[in-house]
């Protein structure tokens, strides 16, 4: 009961702060961001001490290496956070942008204004850098935010939130624009998901289990990322060198990222020549291959037979499934059916095939002769990203400042009434 | 079990048809639309006969006049439907539009392509014209649709769906692009709401109860419209004539529409002069007034005292609540707190107040010196509308073709890999 009240009151205060934020100027927001950067530098030792306390507790609890790695802060990671704040401050303010104004037969002029979404609820694991990233992106886009990070990072998160709050106070921005939820009882998440009157959007960030749970339970609209089952399709006309470069990079430059290729599709006319070459290169990096019948026929003992399940598995590991396809139609059908609508790339030199692939593949990012690994807010020039969406409404792919805004209609009249 | 299977299979077929639609040209879609218009004219007698059967059954069941009115089709309403199809055919195709292309430091060129959403599930009451409107808008935007209309309109809907299906067949578009759900058992709606693997968006159209139920139950994202609690605020600097014209038009031109004003806010300096004038004009139209204490002081027996509930009530009737406010800040706060974020208008001649109102009012449509009644897809020049959204994500206000699409990222490379 106390928890429900605490979270509800915090969300209500965030909504009120949001309405004040509509009157805060770009200069004021940027001033707050610069102060946050300065404070991060000045308070670095306090943040690291808080993080060390979290790390110690996490080690005592015997938490796994991956969690410890995400939880850990260093001088270097704080420097990167400071650089991130400077980058966001330098981005143009998306709020207030107006376009598409047209004068209609009635005499009214109608157009659109870009506006914040309102209150954003972030639910994420024990990654203190997300606390900072989410806060600064939400603030820059004119949104209030509620930050519910994992309990293991609570001391680090409190230290970062203190830095942010003091910058808000100093620049006259309501403190309730950025709210760290300090009660990390699990039941608190359910409370957040049930406050559509105060919270406009929920953004979960973390493993598939967390995102799935949030999605199933939320009464607030969710912007989310589930799977990254990405494909590269090597077309009949693809340059061999380009195809190999992209196929190797898309799989092996990092294994745990959502934009990593999980299935390679290759045109039958390229398979005999390229698969042995690729197999050799993947073997050097210890990538396990699982192939369709035709792949097994070509690569013999160097490949395991793929099962139906492989086509819809996000390995997040040095494992790759390979399928030989008869034509581009089969490749597109495979991607739309088995993929996760995240990022898919074609390697080709055939213009009509390029056009068909770009149009018919139903994914957030569709690429031509480029590695799927480019699907990322920084690589797309967004300056920063709060996540990658595999949803179809509102925003697809990397979510930057624009994804944290919406557009409202503006009607400029001169006394017009409707007949 | 049979119902679940029927609806699931239909949704699955709609998804497959959607993937085929990505290869259908604009010319082919427009040809199908022109054929639908021709078929509507040719089959007019059959549609009217089917509608007469629905009307007879509805009358026998003793259904109310409002329902009968929405259910009824005439030669005139079919002519309007035909005209609507011609208008949609004449609109530019939103699909394939590309913009925002930039070349990044890595060498890749990144931009966006407008694409259909996929499969749209329409859930609506017994209004046969919605069957046509939804089908043609979804088709034009490249989406497949599932149409679940009210059971009372089943014969009319079948006749209209037959007209659409024959046009699809004749133009080589998969029939499953437009699917009327002919089993109108209520449980079928729940099945539709639980098919996120095949349905991309649900759009409910109807009374608040229906929309609320769909929203609470749906596992598919919903684009919805709940309340229309619209305001007009008469600022201190407003021209008296303009203020009266807009206040009368916004309330009295139609009572049952969502863009009708429900609360009038008036600056204290205008109240003494304008309220008696307005009261007289509202009295001529039998509009019941419910005012705040100050309004009651000015209008005496010509106004009822408003209760707290009045400020958050969508009357949809000749009733208006009136509140005197001390300044524009109070007006904005009232609107953001009690309104439904639908449409709100300021009447003013003060430039700074106009700018503040446009920016700070958190509604889908914010207007300056114009009647709230303009919030409508046709009046905004969208050519057609499938509904009005009071959501904040994806699309706000009138939803036309663009609201039925999304944008995906397009990456044009030349063999680039990520370092």
């Amino acid at each position: 009961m106390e928890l429900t009240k605490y979270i509800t009151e915090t969300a209500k205060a965030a909504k009120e702060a949001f309405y004040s934020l509509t009157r805060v100027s770009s200069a004021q927001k940027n001033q707050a961001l610069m102060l946050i950067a300065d404070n991060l530098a000045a308070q670095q030792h306090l943040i690291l001490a808080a993080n060390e306390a979290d790390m110690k507790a996490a080690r005592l609890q015997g938490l796994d290496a991956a969690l410890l790695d995400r939880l850990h802060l260093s001088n270097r990671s704080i420097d990167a956070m400071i650089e991130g704040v400077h980058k966001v401050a330098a981005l143009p303010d998306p709020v207030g942008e107006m376009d598409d104004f047209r004068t209609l037969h009635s005499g009214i002029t109608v157009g659109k204004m870009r506006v914040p979404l309102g209150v954003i609820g972030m639910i994420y694991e024990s990654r203190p850098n997300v606390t900072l990233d989410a806060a600064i992106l939400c603030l820059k886009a004119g949104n209030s935010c509620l930050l519910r990070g994992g309990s293991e990072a609570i001391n680090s998160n409190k230290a970062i939130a203190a830095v942010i709050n003091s910058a808000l106070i100093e620049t006259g921005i309501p403190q309730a624009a950025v709210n760290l939820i300090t009660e990390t009882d699990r039941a608190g998440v359910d409370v957040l998901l049930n406050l559509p009157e105060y919270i406009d959007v929920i953004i979960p960030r973390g493993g598939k289990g967390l995102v799935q749970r949030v999605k199933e339970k939320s009464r607030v609209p969710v912007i989310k990322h589930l799977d990254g089952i990405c494909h590269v399709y090597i077309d009949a006309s693809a340059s061999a060198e380009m195809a190999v470069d992209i196929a190797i990079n898309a799989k092996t430059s990092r294994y745990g990222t959502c934009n990593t290729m999980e299935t390679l599709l290759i045109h039958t006319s390229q398979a005999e020549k390229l698969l042995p070459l690729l197999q050799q290169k993947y073997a050097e990096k210890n990538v396990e291959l699982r192939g369709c019948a035709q792949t097994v026929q070509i690569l013999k003992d160097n490949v395991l037979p793929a099962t139906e399940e492989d086509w819809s598995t996000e390995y997040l590991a040095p494992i790759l499934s390979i399928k030989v396809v008869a034509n581009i139609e089969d490749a597109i059908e495979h991607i739309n059916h088995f993929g996760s609508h995240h990022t898919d790339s074609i390697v080709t030199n055939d213009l009509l095939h390029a056009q068909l692939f770009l149009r018919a593949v139903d994914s957030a990012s569709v690429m031509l002769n480029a590695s799927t690994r480019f699907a990322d807010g920084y690589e797309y020039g967004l300056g920063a990203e709060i996540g990658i969406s595999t949803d179809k409404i509102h925003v697809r792919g990397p979510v930057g400042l624009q994804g944290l805004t919406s557009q409202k209609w503006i009607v400029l009249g001169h006394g017009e009434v409707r007949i």
Side-chain angles (χ1 to χ4, degrees), chain A:
Chain A
M1 229 19 232
E2 271 313 294
L3 183 70
T4 303
K5 196 182 162 203
Y6 157 66
I7 288 177
T8 306
E9 292 297 319
T10 308
K12 196 177 167 187
K15 191 73 164 197
E16 275 158 29
F18 159 63
Y19 289 125
S20 306
L21 277 179
T22 60
R23 290 124 204 245
V24 168
S25 69
S26 288
Q28 219 176 331
K29 291 190 288 188
N30 287 336
Q31 198 195 338
L33 290 173
M34 298 312 284
L35 265 172
I36 290 171
D38 292 350
N39 290 352
L40 280 171
Q43 311 282 319
Q44 191 148 352
H45 58 291
L46 287 177
I47 298 170
L48 290 178
N51 185 247
E52 190 40 46
D54 285 334
M55 288 293 288
K56 198 177 280 177
R59 278 191 217 101
L60 278 173
Q61 281 180 66
L63 295 172
D64 69 34
L67 189 142
L68 292 174
D69 184 50
R70 289 194 293 267
L71 178 58
H72 185 242
L73 290 178
S74 63
N75 283 313
R76 211 174 127 197
S77 56
I78 291 184
D79 285 348
M81 284 160 70
I82 293 170
E83 200 194 321
V85 182
H86 284 141
K87 274 190 185 160
V88 170
L91 291 174
D93 189 339
V95 176
E97 265 182 23
M98 291 196 270
D99 53 22
D100 286 347
F101 277 87
R102 283 191 294 168
T103 300
L104 281 305
H105 62 101
S106 61
I108 60 172
T109 300
V110 180
K112 287 176 176 174
M113 182 193 281
R114 192 161 286 286
V115 289
L117 286 170
V119 178
I120 295 181
M122 290 288 305
I123 298 170
Y124 52 103
E125 293 170 343
S126 294
R127 294 176 60 177
N129 64 312
V130 174
T131 303
L132 182 83
D133 286 353
I136 62 174
L137 282 168
C138 287
L139 180 63
K140 178 86 185 192
N143 298 295
S144 286
C145 61
L146 298 161
L147 305 170
R148 168 54 172 82
S151 56
E152 298 88 353
I154 188 66
N155 292 301
S156 315
N157 287 343
K158 279 182 179 171
I160 293 167
V163 155
I164 296 168
N165 275 334
S166 73
L168 295 178
I169 293 171
E170 214 172 314
T171 44
I173 296 175
Q175 274 191 84
V178 177
N179 307 278
L180 180 71
I181 303 291
T182 53
E183 300 288 334
T184 55
D185 190 309
R186 282 226 165 186
V189 172
D190 293 351
V191 179
L192 280 175
L193 302 181
N194 268 294
L195 290 171
E197 58 276 43
Y198 301 126
I199 305 177
D200 294 291
V201 183
I202 293 280
I203 304 180
R205 271 190 68 170
K208 200 174 165 178
L210 168 78
V211 177
Q212 197 78 263
R213 274 198 309 279
V214 165
K215 191 203 155 215
E216 292 291 330
K217 285 187 174 178
S218 185
R219 289 177 60 226
V220 179
V222 175
I223 297 176
K224 71 178 185 302
H225 169 273
L226 277 172
D227 293 316
I229 304 175
C230 302
H231 301 76
V232 171
Y233 165 57
I234 301 176
D235 195 26
S237 65
S239 134
E241 194 189 349
M242 194 186 282
V244 171
D245 282 355
I246 290 174
I248 297 299
N249 182 266
K251 182 69 227 182
T252 69
S253 64
R254 273 181 79 182
Y255 297 111
T257 45
C258 61
N259 54 20
T260 296
M261 168 177 65
E262 304 292 13
T263 300
L264 175 70
L265 301 171
I266 184 164
H267 190 270
T268 180
S269 68
Q270 298 265 22
E272 290 277 359
K273 186 177 134 202
L274 290 190
L275 284 182
L277 203 64
L278 284 164
Q279 184 271 321
Q280 219 175 338
K281 287 182 184 273
Y282 284 128
E284 285 166 21
K285 310 226 176 196
N286 296 311
V287 176
E288 176 187 319
L289 303 182
R290 302 183 187 178
C292 66
Q294 217 176 319
T295 305
V296 172
Q297 209 173 22
I298 296 168
L299 296 182
K300 308 275 186 291
D301 292 347
N302 295 309
V303 61
L304 297 166
T307 64
E308 188 73 5
E309 211 190 322
D310 279 299
W311 311 127
S312 44
T313 299
E314 184 182 21
Y315 302 114
L316 297 169
I319 305 172
L320 176 71
S321 55
I322 302 178
K323 188 178 183 181
V324 178
V325 294
N327 51 50
I328 186 174
E329 301 288 337
D330 287 358
I332 292 171
E333 203 187 311
H334 180 97
I335 292 169
N336 283 336
H337 186 74
F338 291 103
S340 66
H341 311 285
H342 188 296
T343 299
D344 302 288
S345 182
I346 183 174
V347 188
T348 189
N349 189 30
D350 182 310
L351 182 60
L352 291 175
H353 283 189
Q355 288 178 318
L356 176 64
F357 192 87
L358 290 180
R359 182 153 178 166
V361 169
D362 183 30
S363 296
S365 290
V366 189
M367 299 185 170
L368 180 60
N369 297 331
S371 169
T372 54
R373 292 276 295 116
F374 282 112
D376 172 291
Y378 291 94
E379 293 293 336
Y380 282 7
L382 301 185
E385 85 177 23
I386 203 158
I388 294 187
S389 162
T390 52
D391 288 327
K392 291 179 115 184
I393 68 164
H394 188 63
V395 60
R396 296 182 86 168
V399 182
L401 284 178
Q402 190 170 307
L404 295 177
T405 63
S406 180
Q407 286 184 306
K408 69 182 176 193
W409 294 92
I410 297 292
V411 174
L412 306 173
H414 323 77
E416 281 83 358
V417 296
R418 186 159 170 196
I419 303 153

